[in-house]
Amino acid sequence: MESKKKLNIGIITYIYAINHGSILQAESVKHILKYLYPNSNIKYINYAPKRGLLKEIRYNIINPRPFSGFKIIYKFFRAIKKFEFWNNLVVTDDLNKIIKLYNKLNLDIISVGSDTVWENRPKGVGYAPEPPNAYFISNSNVSKTNFISISASSDRSIEDSWPEKSVIPLKKMLNGFQFISVRDSFTKKMLQNKFNASSYLTPDPTFFLDHDKIINSYKLPKKINKNFAVLDISDRKLSKRYSNLFKEKGLQTIAPMTNRFADLNLRGEIDPWQWALLHYNAKFVVTNRFHGTIFSIKGLTNFISIDQSFEYKKGAGSK
């Protein structure tokens, strides 16, 4: 329901994860909040977890194509410039510093997510520090602000793997949210069973973004042919099979990142909006990425979505 009251709203999500999907999710959340609160002041909280930010930069520099890694980081920060922020970037893993930041901002609402903001990953693996972290802070920590979530997710976090010492504080934090919406049934079930937190199941916010208005102003690199297919999977055997099939059909094989069987690799060559446009314009898409699937659906592109993750095979569910 649309609200006529003017509010100051902050969004905290993975805007500094060097990931096309994270940037477009952040843009989509703002799009939704603008629809719900059209007269309100809505901006991103300029925060990044220290461990996660360093991990992202290190991962993109130390790869088989280091020059391409620098290009990815450069493209990412160019895209980030399009966002408006409350303040100078805060990089920390200290919960108390984040709580002080929230109190200083004095916001009416803080929206957490979208993305896998409530995942449980071992130290050094996830983007966010081990929970509890900044993405779990709620009205139980900052009393003057209402906290909500839009399409949050715990991704593939195995329910029984949450450290027992974190369950009690996380239960208090999650029950301090005024409203929780999640993007997958696994997260909904986990929140209820593990933390007794109720939530609503909603689609990923990128389904709602009016991409046509944005994407149509972008162009793909000229070296991409008119008839092409997107190959964005890590499995080598399947990659080879699909690459051969595309060649038989007379399609150029494009990898948004890097795939040894692709005719053209675009790692570091395209920004998030071009990445989405790639899926819109393709004749066929083979992907193991969640957002690659979403953009194929929105673009009415024929696609196959594959999930071969360890967590999926262990029963954590698929995105």
Side-chain angles (χ1 to χ4, degrees):
M1 182 178 294
E2 186 178 298
S3 174
K4 293 182 180 180
K5 183 180 177 182
K6 188 169 184 177
L7 302 170
N8 288 318
I9 303 174
I11 301 170
I12 180 168
T13 187
Y14 288 172
I15 49 176
Y16 281 94
I18 303 175
N19 179 292
H20 290 347
S22 295
I23 294 177
L24 293 177
Q25 276 183 300
E27 183 74 10
S28 301
V29 169
K30 189 173 181 181
H31 176 84
I32 291 170
L33 288 171
K34 278 185 175 180
Y35 174 79
L36 295 173
Y37 307 100
N39 299 318
S40 297
N41 184 25
I42 304 170
K43 293 187 178 181
Y44 297 99
I45 297 172
N46 201 7
Y47 163 76
K50 181 178 180 180
R51 185 177 300 150
L53 184 59
L54 292 175
K55 175 177 173 286
E56 290 287 308
I57 294 173
R58 184 170 61 249
Y59 170 79
N60 282 283
I61 291 178
I62 304 174
N63 64 77
R65 294 173 175 81
F67 178 69
S68 177
F70 282 111
K71 288 172 69 176
I72 287 174
I73 295 170
Y74 172 73
K75 280 264 187 178
F76 166 75
F77 281 106
R78 282 192 62 185
I80 281 292
K81 287 182 179 180
K82 298 174 183 178
F83 293 104
E84 298 176 37
F85 299 112
W86 277 99
N87 55 304
N88 294 328
L89 175 61
V90 174
V91 182
T92 182
D93 292 336
D94 190 330
L95 278 180
N96 291 324
K97 289 184 179 180
I98 303 301
I99 292 172
K100 288 180 180 179
L101 171 65
Y102 284 172
N103 283 318
K104 182 180 178 180
L105 293 174
N106 194 28
L107 299 168
D108 296 301
I109 297 174
I110 289 179
S111 176
V112 179
S114 179
D115 221 318
T116 56
V117 288
W118 290 337
E119 66 180 349
N120 171 33
R121 298 282 183 172
K123 182 178 180 180
V125 176
Y127 176 71
E130 289 179 287
N133 55 50
Y135 303 98
F136 289 90
I137 292 174
S138 70
N139 188 253
S140 64
N141 312 96
V142 183
S143 58
K144 294 182 180 180
T145 301
N146 293 306
F147 285 78
I148 64 172
S149 79
I150 295 181
S151 298
S153 175
S154 60
D155 199 16
R156 318 290 181 82
S157 304
I158 307 297
E159 189 172 319
D160 294 336
S161 68
W162 293 83
E164 201 60 37
K165 64 180 180 179
S166 71
V167 172
I168 293 177
L170 287 175
K171 185 179 291 186
K172 183 179 179 181
M173 287 177 166
L174 287 166
N175 280 279
F177 278 78
Q178 302 297 314
F179 174 87
I180 294 177
S181 73
V182 296
R183 73 181 186 186
D184 58 89
S185 56
F186 171 75
T187 300
K188 179 178 174 62
K189 180 181 176 182
M190 187 275 295
L191 290 176
Q192 183 64 54
N193 293 346
K194 198 72 178 178
F195 305 109
N196 196 31
S198 59
S199 60
Y200 296 88
L201 186 62
T202 58
D204 186 274
T206 46
F207 275 114
F208 298 103
L209 186 61
D210 188 0
H211 294 95
D212 293 338
K213 291 182 179 179
I214 302 172
I215 290 175
N216 285 340
S217 64
Y218 285 81
K219 293 183 179 179
L220 293 175
K222 292 181 179 180
K223 50 189 172 182
I224 297 178
N225 298 337
K226 183 178 179 180
N227 296 317
F228 70 90
V230 170
L231 182 63
D232 197 11
I233 55 176
S234 54
D235 187 281
R236 289 190 176 185
K237 289 184 179 180
L238 286 177
S239 293
K240 185 176 181 180
R241 289 179 183 178
Y242 280 113
S243 176
N244 290 336
L245 179 62
F246 294 151
K247 287 178 182 178
E248 290 176 9
K249 300 295 182 181
L251 299 174
Q252 183 185 28
T253 304
I254 306 296
M257 295 295 284
T258 302
N259 189 302
R260 63 185 295 183
F261 298 102
D263 297 317
L264 181 61
N265 290 289
L266 297 179
R267 182 181 178 90
E269 298 288 336
I270 54 175
D271 66 20
W273 286 267
Q274 289 174 307
W275 175 67
L277 179 62
L278 192 70
H279 293 79
Y280 272 55
N281 289 0
K283 299 298 182 182
F284 201 92
V285 171
V286 179
T287 183
N288 61 4
R289 295 181 182 273
F290 182 53
H291 289 100
T293 303
I294 290 177
F295 295 130
S296 298
I297 293 172
K298 284 189 66 72
L300 301 179
T301 305
N302 293 316
F303 74 96
I304 293 176
S305 189
I306 300 171
D307 195 338
Q308 295 181 305
S309 68
F310 165 79
E311 295 91 345
Y312 174 54
K313 293 176 181 179
K314 282 290 185 179
S318 176
K319 291 181 181 180

